[in-house]
Protein backbone atom coordinates (compact mmCIF):
# COMPACT_ATOMS: atom_id res chain seq x y z
CA UNK A 1 0.00 0.00 0.00
CA UNK A 2 2.85 2.38 0.86
CA UNK A 3 4.56 1.65 -2.47
CA UNK A 4 1.43 2.69 -4.34
CA UNK A 5 1.29 5.99 -2.43
CA UNK A 6 5.00 6.94 -2.83
CA UNK A 7 5.25 6.15 -6.55
CA UNK A 8 3.32 9.23 -7.81
CA UNK A 9 5.41 11.50 -5.55
CA UNK A 10 8.71 10.10 -6.91
CA UNK A 11 7.48 10.51 -10.47
CA UNK A 12 6.54 14.16 -9.84
CA UNK A 13 9.94 14.88 -8.31
CA UNK A 14 11.67 13.33 -11.33
CA UNK A 15 9.54 15.45 -13.66
CA UNK A 16 10.41 18.65 -11.73
CA UNK A 17 14.13 17.85 -11.83
CA UNK A 18 13.93 17.09 -15.53
CA UNK A 19 12.19 20.38 -16.24
CA UNK A 20 14.81 22.23 -14.16
CA UNK A 21 17.71 20.64 -16.06
CA UNK A 22 15.99 21.37 -19.37
CA UNK A 23 15.51 25.01 -18.34
CA UNK A 24 19.19 25.35 -17.33
CA UNK A 25 20.27 23.68 -20.58
CA UNK A 26 18.11 26.02 -22.66
CA UNK A 27 19.48 29.05 -20.77
CA UNK A 28 23.08 27.98 -21.47
CA UNK A 29 22.27 27.33 -25.13
CA UNK A 30 20.76 30.81 -25.49
CA UNK A 31 23.77 32.36 -23.75
CA UNK A 32 26.23 30.54 -26.01
CA UNK A 33 24.22 31.50 -29.09
CA UNK A 34 24.19 35.13 -27.92
CA UNK A 35 27.97 35.27 -27.46
CA UNK A 36 28.44 33.34 -30.67
CA UNK A 37 26.35 35.88 -32.59
CA UNK A 38 28.43 38.73 -31.15
CA UNK A 39 31.67 36.99 -32.14
CA UNK A 40 30.36 36.33 -35.65
CA UNK A 41 29.21 39.94 -35.94
CA UNK A 42 32.64 41.23 -34.93
CA UNK A 43 34.32 38.74 -37.28
CA UNK A 44 32.09 39.79 -40.17
CA UNK A 45 32.78 43.44 -39.43
CA UNK A 46 36.55 42.83 -39.46
CA UNK A 47 36.35 40.87 -42.71
CA UNK A 48 34.10 43.50 -44.28
CA UNK A 49 36.54 46.27 -43.27
CA UNK A 50 39.58 44.30 -44.44
CA UNK A 51 37.86 43.55 -47.75
CA UNK A 52 37.17 47.23 -48.31
CA UNK A 53 40.80 48.12 -47.53
CA UNK A 54 42.21 45.38 -49.78
CA UNK A 55 39.85 46.29 -52.58
CA UNK A 56 40.80 49.98 -52.47
CA UNK A 57 44.37 49.76 -51.17
CA UNK A 58 45.82 51.74 -54.09
CA UNK A 59 43.56 54.72 -53.47
CA UNK A 60 44.18 54.53 -49.70
CA UNK A 61 47.95 54.22 -50.07
CA UNK A 62 48.29 57.08 -52.57
CA UNK A 63 45.96 59.34 -50.54
CA UNK A 64 47.83 58.75 -47.27
CA UNK A 65 51.24 59.31 -48.90
CA UNK A 66 50.07 62.60 -50.40
CA UNK A 67 48.56 63.63 -47.05
CA UNK A 68 51.83 62.80 -45.26
CA UNK A 69 53.78 64.93 -47.74
CA UNK A 70 51.37 67.84 -47.32
CA UNK A 71 51.59 67.50 -43.53
CA UNK A 72 55.38 67.52 -43.64
CA UNK A 73 55.41 70.64 -45.83
CA UNK A 74 52.95 72.35 -43.46
CA UNK A 75 55.16 71.47 -40.48
CA UNK A 76 58.18 73.09 -42.09
CA UNK A 77 56.37 76.23 -43.25
CA UNK A 78 54.48 76.77 -39.98
CA UNK A 79 56.30 79.13 -37.55
CA UNK A 80 57.91 77.51 -34.51
CA UNK A 81 56.20 77.77 -31.13
CA UNK A 82 58.26 78.40 -27.99
CA UNK A 83 57.29 77.95 -24.36
CA UNK A 84 58.67 78.89 -20.96
CA UNK A 85 57.58 78.24 -17.38
CA UNK A 86 57.55 80.29 -14.18
CA UNK A 87 57.08 78.71 -10.74
CA UNK A 88 55.51 80.84 -7.99
CA UNK A 89 54.23 80.47 -4.44
CA UNK A 90 51.31 82.82 -3.64
CA UNK A 91 50.44 84.13 -0.18
CA UNK A 92 47.27 85.60 1.35
CA UNK A 93 45.01 83.71 -1.11
CA UNK A 94 46.29 85.74 -4.06
CA UNK A 95 46.17 82.48 -6.06
CA UNK A 96 42.49 83.12 -6.81
CA UNK A 97 43.29 86.44 -8.44
CA UNK A 98 46.17 84.82 -10.32
CA UNK A 99 43.98 82.11 -11.90
CA UNK A 100 41.30 84.67 -12.76
CA UNK A 101 43.80 86.93 -14.49
CA UNK A 102 45.36 84.07 -16.47
CA UNK A 103 41.90 83.25 -17.83
CA UNK A 104 41.40 86.96 -18.60
CA UNK A 105 44.65 87.10 -20.60
CA UNK A 106 43.58 84.09 -22.65
CA UNK A 107 40.23 85.77 -23.33
CA UNK A 108 42.05 88.87 -24.61
CA UNK A 109 44.16 86.68 -26.91
CA UNK A 110 41.04 84.92 -28.19
CA UNK A 111 39.38 88.27 -28.92
CA UNK A 112 42.61 89.64 -30.47
CA UNK A 113 42.49 92.57 -28.04
CA UNK A 114 46.24 93.20 -28.21
CA UNK A 115 45.90 96.80 -27.02
CA UNK A 116 45.06 95.75 -23.46
CA UNK A 117 47.86 93.18 -23.51
CA UNK A 118 50.36 95.88 -24.41
CA UNK A 119 49.15 98.02 -21.48
CA UNK A 120 49.25 95.13 -18.99
CA UNK A 121 52.69 93.77 -19.93
CA UNK A 122 54.30 97.02 -21.19
CA UNK A 123 55.23 95.50 -24.56
CA UNK A 124 54.60 96.67 -28.10
CA UNK A 125 51.61 95.43 -30.08
CA UNK A 126 53.77 93.39 -32.45
CA UNK A 127 55.10 91.33 -29.54
CA UNK A 128 51.60 91.01 -28.07
CA UNK A 129 50.41 89.40 -31.31
CA UNK A 130 53.10 86.73 -30.93
CA UNK A 131 51.63 85.43 -27.65
CA UNK A 132 49.57 82.30 -28.20
CA UNK A 133 48.42 81.17 -24.77
CA UNK A 134 48.81 81.46 -21.01
CA UNK A 135 48.40 78.36 -18.91
CA UNK A 136 48.44 77.73 -15.17
CA UNK A 137 48.84 74.33 -13.51
CA UNK A 138 49.56 73.06 -9.98
CA UNK A 139 53.25 73.10 -9.25
CA UNK A 140 55.38 70.04 -8.58
CA UNK A 141 54.65 68.18 -5.38
CA UNK A 142 55.82 64.97 -3.74
CA UNK A 143 53.76 62.21 -2.19
CA UNK A 144 54.65 63.62 1.24
CA UNK A 145 53.20 66.99 0.22
CA UNK A 146 49.94 65.29 -0.76
CA UNK A 147 49.85 63.42 2.55
CA UNK A 148 50.34 66.66 4.51
CA UNK A 149 47.48 68.29 2.59
CA UNK A 150 45.29 65.25 3.23
CA UNK A 151 46.05 65.33 6.99
CA UNK A 152 45.12 69.02 7.17
CA UNK A 153 41.90 68.33 5.30
CA UNK A 154 40.95 65.40 7.56
CA UNK A 155 41.63 67.45 10.69
CA UNK A 156 39.17 70.07 9.45
CA UNK A 157 36.36 67.47 9.36
CA UNK A 158 34.48 65.73 12.12
CA UNK A 159 35.53 62.18 12.98
CA UNK A 160 32.57 60.51 11.21
CA UNK A 161 32.98 62.43 7.97
CA UNK A 162 36.76 62.02 7.97
CA UNK A 163 36.41 58.23 7.85
CA UNK A 164 34.36 58.46 4.65
CA UNK A 165 37.01 60.39 2.67
CA UNK A 166 39.94 58.26 1.54
CA UNK A 167 43.29 59.57 0.38
CA UNK A 168 42.55 58.61 -3.24
CA UNK A 169 39.18 60.39 -3.14
CA UNK A 170 40.86 63.51 -1.78
CA UNK A 171 43.50 63.49 -4.55
CA UNK A 172 40.93 62.88 -7.31
CA UNK A 173 38.64 65.71 -6.16
CA UNK A 174 41.26 68.42 -5.63
CA UNK A 175 40.95 71.64 -7.62
CA UNK A 176 43.70 73.80 -9.05
CA UNK A 177 43.53 75.96 -5.89
CA UNK A 178 44.51 73.08 -3.58
CA UNK A 179 48.29 73.33 -3.99
CA UNK A 180 50.78 75.85 -2.65
CA UNK A 181 52.87 76.14 -5.81
CA UNK A 182 51.75 77.12 -9.30
CA UNK A 183 53.41 76.79 -12.68
CA UNK A 184 52.66 79.55 -15.16
CA UNK A 185 53.37 78.53 -18.75
CA UNK A 186 53.39 80.83 -21.77
CA UNK A 187 53.48 79.86 -25.45
CA UNK A 188 54.62 82.33 -28.07
CA UNK A 189 55.93 82.58 -31.61
CA UNK A 190 58.74 84.80 -30.29
CA UNK A 191 61.40 82.92 -28.36
CA UNK A 192 62.78 85.81 -26.25
CA UNK A 193 59.58 87.52 -25.13
CA UNK A 194 59.11 85.72 -21.81
CA UNK A 195 61.27 87.86 -19.53
CA UNK A 196 59.34 90.98 -20.56
CA UNK A 197 56.11 89.35 -19.37
CA UNK A 198 57.23 88.83 -15.75
CA UNK A 199 56.53 92.35 -14.54
CA UNK A 200 52.96 92.23 -15.84
CA UNK A 201 52.38 88.79 -14.30
CA UNK A 202 53.75 89.96 -10.96
CA UNK A 203 51.09 92.64 -10.80
CA UNK A 204 48.33 90.03 -11.05
CA UNK A 205 48.85 88.90 -7.45
CA UNK A 206 47.89 92.23 -5.92
CA UNK A 207 44.21 92.70 -5.09
CA UNK A 208 42.07 94.29 -2.40
CA UNK A 209 41.23 91.01 -0.65
CA UNK A 210 44.85 89.90 -0.37
CA UNK A 211 45.93 93.36 0.78
CA UNK A 212 43.34 93.38 3.57
CA UNK A 213 44.29 89.83 4.57
CA UNK A 214 47.95 90.85 4.77
CA UNK A 215 47.10 93.91 6.90
CA UNK A 216 44.94 91.76 9.18
CA UNK A 217 47.78 89.25 9.57
CA UNK A 218 50.22 92.04 10.44
CA UNK A 219 47.81 93.46 13.04
CA UNK A 220 47.39 90.05 14.70
CA UNK A 221 51.15 89.49 14.74
CA UNK A 222 51.67 92.96 16.24
CA UNK A 223 49.22 92.15 19.06
CA UNK A 224 50.89 88.79 19.73
CA UNK A 225 54.31 90.45 19.70
CA UNK A 226 53.21 93.12 22.18
CA UNK A 227 51.70 90.46 24.47
CA UNK A 228 54.94 88.46 24.44
CA UNK A 229 57.05 91.57 25.14
CA UNK A 230 54.81 92.44 28.10
CA UNK A 231 55.19 88.90 29.44
CA UNK A 232 58.97 89.10 29.07
CA UNK A 233 59.01 92.37 31.04
CA UNK A 234 57.04 90.76 33.84
CA UNK A 235 59.41 87.80 33.86
CA UNK A 236 62.36 90.17 33.97
CA UNK A 237 60.85 92.02 36.95
CA UNK A 238 60.17 88.74 38.73
CA UNK A 239 63.76 87.64 38.10
CA UNK A 240 65.01 90.80 39.79
CA UNK A 241 62.80 90.10 42.80
CA UNK A 242 64.17 86.56 43.03
CA UNK A 243 67.73 87.84 42.77
CA UNK A 244 67.14 90.30 45.64
CA UNK A 245 65.64 87.52 47.75
CA UNK A 246 68.63 85.31 47.07
CA UNK A 247 71.03 88.14 47.96
CA UNK A 248 69.25 88.75 51.26
CA UNK A 249 69.37 85.07 52.09
CA UNK A 250 73.07 84.90 51.27
CA UNK A 251 73.86 87.71 53.77
CA UNK A 252 72.60 85.67 56.72
CA UNK A 253 75.39 83.34 57.94
CA UNK A 254 74.62 79.69 57.22
CA UNK A 255 71.01 80.66 56.84
CA UNK A 256 70.53 80.85 60.71
CA UNK A 257 70.41 83.41 63.52
CA UNK A 258 70.39 83.45 67.38
CA UNK A 259 68.05 85.45 69.65
CA UNK A 260 69.08 87.36 72.80
CA UNK A 261 67.86 84.44 74.87
CA UNK A 262 70.38 82.18 73.15
CA UNK A 263 67.85 80.34 71.05
CA UNK A 264 69.00 79.43 67.50
CA UNK A 265 66.72 79.34 64.51
CA UNK A 266 67.38 78.00 60.98
CA UNK A 267 65.92 80.15 58.21
CA UNK A 268 64.28 78.19 55.42
CA UNK A 269 65.42 78.95 51.90
CA UNK A 270 62.82 80.66 49.71
CA UNK A 271 61.72 78.64 46.65
CA UNK A 272 62.20 81.11 43.77
CA UNK A 273 61.73 78.68 40.83
CA UNK A 274 64.48 80.26 38.71
CA UNK A 275 64.49 77.32 36.29
CA UNK A 276 60.76 77.67 35.54
CA UNK A 277 61.25 81.36 34.81
CA UNK A 278 64.16 80.64 32.50
CA UNK A 279 62.21 77.96 30.66
CA UNK A 280 59.24 80.30 30.21
CA UNK A 281 61.49 83.08 28.98
CA UNK A 282 63.10 80.80 26.37
CA UNK A 283 59.66 79.68 25.18
CA UNK A 284 58.40 83.24 24.79
CA UNK A 285 61.52 84.35 22.95
CA UNK A 286 61.13 81.39 20.60
CA UNK A 287 57.55 82.44 19.81
CA UNK A 288 58.74 86.01 19.25
CA UNK A 289 61.38 84.81 16.80
CA UNK A 290 58.77 82.80 14.86
CA UNK A 291 56.51 85.85 14.62
CA UNK A 292 59.35 88.01 13.32
CA UNK A 293 60.41 85.28 10.88
CA UNK A 294 56.87 84.89 9.56
CA UNK A 295 56.55 88.63 9.02
CA UNK A 296 59.84 88.72 7.15
CA UNK A 297 59.17 85.62 5.03
CA UNK A 298 55.61 86.54 4.06
CA UNK A 299 55.95 90.28 3.49
CA UNK A 300 54.91 89.99 -0.20
CA UNK A 301 51.97 88.49 -2.08
CA UNK A 302 54.09 85.83 -3.77
CA UNK A 303 57.58 84.41 -4.14
CA UNK A 304 59.11 83.53 -7.49
CA UNK A 305 60.76 80.14 -7.13
CA UNK A 306 61.95 80.03 -10.74
CA UNK A 307 61.67 82.72 -13.41
CA UNK A 308 61.05 82.53 -17.13
CA UNK A 309 64.06 81.56 -19.21
CA UNK A 310 65.71 84.23 -21.35
CA UNK A 311 65.01 82.08 -24.42
CA UNK A 312 62.05 79.70 -24.51
CA UNK A 313 62.28 76.04 -25.48
CA UNK A 314 60.76 74.88 -28.75
CA UNK A 315 57.29 73.52 -28.04
CA UNK A 316 56.17 70.39 -29.83
CA UNK A 317 53.40 67.84 -29.24
CA UNK A 318 51.95 64.92 -31.13
CA UNK A 319 49.11 67.20 -32.23
CA UNK A 320 51.62 69.27 -34.19
CA UNK A 321 53.02 66.27 -36.08
CA UNK A 322 50.96 67.01 -39.18
CA UNK A 323 52.87 64.44 -41.21
CA UNK A 324 51.15 61.85 -38.97
CA UNK A 325 47.84 63.60 -38.32
CA UNK A 326 47.01 64.33 -41.98
CA UNK A 327 47.27 60.66 -43.11
CA UNK A 328 45.11 59.54 -40.15
CA UNK A 329 42.47 62.15 -40.99
CA UNK A 330 42.64 61.16 -44.66
CA UNK A 331 42.05 57.49 -43.82
CA UNK A 332 39.12 58.43 -41.55
CA UNK A 333 37.56 60.57 -44.32
CA UNK A 334 37.95 57.74 -46.86
CA UNK A 335 36.22 55.34 -44.45
CA UNK A 336 33.33 57.76 -43.93
CA UNK A 337 32.97 58.30 -47.68
CA UNK A 338 33.00 54.53 -48.29
CA UNK A 339 30.33 53.89 -45.63
CA UNK A 340 28.16 56.71 -46.95
CA UNK A 341 28.45 55.31 -50.49
CA UNK A 342 27.39 51.86 -49.27
CA UNK A 343 24.50 53.38 -47.34
CA UNK A 344 23.29 55.33 -50.38
CA UNK A 345 23.44 52.22 -52.59
CA UNK A 346 21.55 50.21 -49.96
CA UNK A 347 18.82 52.86 -49.74
CA UNK A 348 18.49 53.05 -53.52
CA UNK A 349 18.16 49.25 -53.85
CA UNK A 350 15.81 48.88 -50.91
CA UNK A 351 12.22 48.36 -52.01
CA UNK A 352 10.55 47.55 -48.71
Amino acid sequence: MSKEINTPQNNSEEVDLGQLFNFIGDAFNKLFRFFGSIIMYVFNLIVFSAKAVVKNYKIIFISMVLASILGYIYEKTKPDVYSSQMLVKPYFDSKYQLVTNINFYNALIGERDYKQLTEIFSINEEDAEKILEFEINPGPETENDRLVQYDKFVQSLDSVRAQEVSFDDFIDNRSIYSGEFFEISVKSYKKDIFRSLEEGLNSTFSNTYSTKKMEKRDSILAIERQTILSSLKEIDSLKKVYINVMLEESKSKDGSYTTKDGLSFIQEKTDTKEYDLLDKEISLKSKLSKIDAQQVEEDVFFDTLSSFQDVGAKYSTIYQKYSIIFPILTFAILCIVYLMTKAVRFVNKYEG
Side-chain angles (χ1 to χ4, degrees):
M1 187 72 180
S2 60
K3 289 183 179 181
E4 293 177 357
I5 296 174
N6 292 334
T7 300
Q9 293 179 352
N10 293 335
N11 290 335
S12 63
E13 289 177 0
E14 290 177 359
V15 171
D16 292 339
L17 288 174
Q19 291 178 348
L20 177 62
F21 285 130
N22 289 334
F23 176 77
I24 295 174
D26 291 340
F28 275 109
N29 289 331
K30 290 179 181 179
L31 183 64
F32 290 144
R33 284 197 296 268
F34 173 72
F35 284 112
S37 63
I38 293 177
I39 293 172
M40 288 301 298
Y41 177 79
V42 173
F43 177 76
N44 290 332
L45 182 63
I46 293 173
V47 173
F48 177 77
S49 302
K51 183 178 179 181
V53 172
V54 171
K55 187 177 179 180
N56 302 283
Y57 77 94
K58 291 182 179 180
I59 298 174
I60 295 173
F61 178 75
I62 293 172
S63 300
M64 293 183 69
V65 169
L66 291 175
S68 181
I69 294 172
L70 290 175
Y72 180 78
I73 294 173
Y74 184 65
E75 281 182 23
K76 296 302 178 182
T77 56
K78 192 174 183 294
D80 293 329
V81 178
Y82 300 91
S83 68
S84 185
Q85 291 76 35
M86 176 182 181
L87 191 63
V88 297
K89 182 180 181 181
Y91 301 111
F92 307 107
D93 287 340
S94 58
K95 56 187 176 183
Y96 300 101
Q97 186 67 44
L98 172 64
V99 175
T100 300
N101 286 351
I102 293 296
N103 294 331
F104 173 65
Y105 300 153
N106 286 326
L108 293 179
I109 294 172
E111 296 174 0
R112 299 182 181 276
D113 190 352
Y114 300 114
K115 185 177 180 180
Q116 285 201 56
L117 289 173
T118 58
E119 294 175 356
I120 293 171
F121 296 103
S122 301
I123 56 177
N124 56 56
E125 191 167 341
E126 183 181 356
D127 288 343
E129 293 176 0
K130 301 290 185 181
I131 302 174
L132 289 175
E133 182 188 15
F134 289 88
E135 188 176 356
I136 184 166
N137 294 301
E141 58 183 4
T142 62
E143 192 69 18
N144 290 336
D145 295 332
R146 297 189 184 97
L147 288 172
V148 170
Q149 294 177 19
Y150 175 67
D151 288 339
K152 289 181 180 179
F153 175 75
V154 169
Q155 290 175 6
S156 64
L157 303 176
D158 59 83
S159 57
V160 177
R161 180 60 179 164
Q163 294 177 358
E164 298 177 357
V165 182
S166 66
F167 176 75
D168 292 334
D169 292 337
F170 170 75
I171 296 298
D172 293 338
N173 291 291
R174 287 191 310 168
S175 68
I176 190 175
Y177 303 106
S178 301
E180 295 183 358
F181 305 100
F182 293 86
E183 183 184 73
I184 303 171
S185 178
V186 182
K187 298 181 182 69
S188 172
Y189 286 127
K190 189 175 182 181
K191 63 181 178 181
D192 57 352
I193 192 178
F194 304 102
R195 281 287 189 179
S196 58
L197 302 177
E198 277 196 22
E199 184 176 353
L201 283 171
N202 292 344
S203 64
T204 63
F205 292 90
S206 178
N207 60 84
T208 305
Y209 173 77
S210 298
T211 302
K212 288 183 177 179
K213 192 166 185 178
M214 184 179 185
E215 292 174 351
K216 183 178 179 180
R217 192 284 310 266
D218 291 341
S219 299
I220 293 173
L221 291 181
I223 294 172
E224 291 180 357
R225 192 173 192 279
Q226 187 61 40
T227 302
I228 292 174
L229 290 175
S230 300
S231 299
L232 288 173
K233 286 182 179 179
E234 293 178 1
I235 290 176
D236 189 57
S237 301
L238 192 57
K239 281 168 61 179
K240 291 179 180 179
V241 171
Y242 284 173
I243 290 173
N244 291 333
V245 170
M246 292 170 67
L247 288 174
E248 291 295 329
E249 289 180 348
S250 64
K251 290 179 181 179
S252 60
K253 185 178 180 181
D254 298 329
S256 61
Y257 63 94
T258 305
T259 62
K260 295 179 179 179
D261 301 331
L263 296 175
S264 297
F265 292 91
I266 298 175
Q267 186 177 2
E268 293 185 359
K269 188 176 181 181
T270 306
D271 185 11
T272 55
K273 298 183 180 179
E274 300 89 351
Y275 178 79
D276 293 339
L277 279 180
L278 180 61
D279 187 54
K280 187 65 175 178
E281 185 179 16
I282 293 173
S283 176
L284 290 174
K285 286 183 177 180
S286 176
K287 290 181 180 179
L288 187 62
S289 298
K290 289 180 180 178
I291 290 174
D292 294 338
Q294 183 181 357
Q295 202 158 13
V296 170
E297 290 175 359
E298 299 181 8
D299 62 339
V300 291
F301 295 108
F302 72 99
D303 279 330
T304 302
L305 305 183
S306 66
S307 302
F308 286 126
Q309 293 80 13
D310 293 328
V311 178
K314 188 177 290 188
Y315 178 77
S316 178
T317 62
I318 187 64
Y319 301 106
Q320 293 178 321
K321 299 292 183 182
Y322 300 105
S323 58
I324 299 176
I325 293 176
F326 280 13
I328 294 174
L329 291 176
T330 301
F331 181 75
I333 292 171
L334 289 174
C335 291
I336 293 172
V337 171
Y338 178 79
L339 292 175
M340 290 180 65
T341 304
K342 287 289 185 181
V344 171
R345 289 178 182 176
F346 174 78
V347 172
N348 291 331
K349 293 180 179 180
Y350 184 74
E351 296 181 355

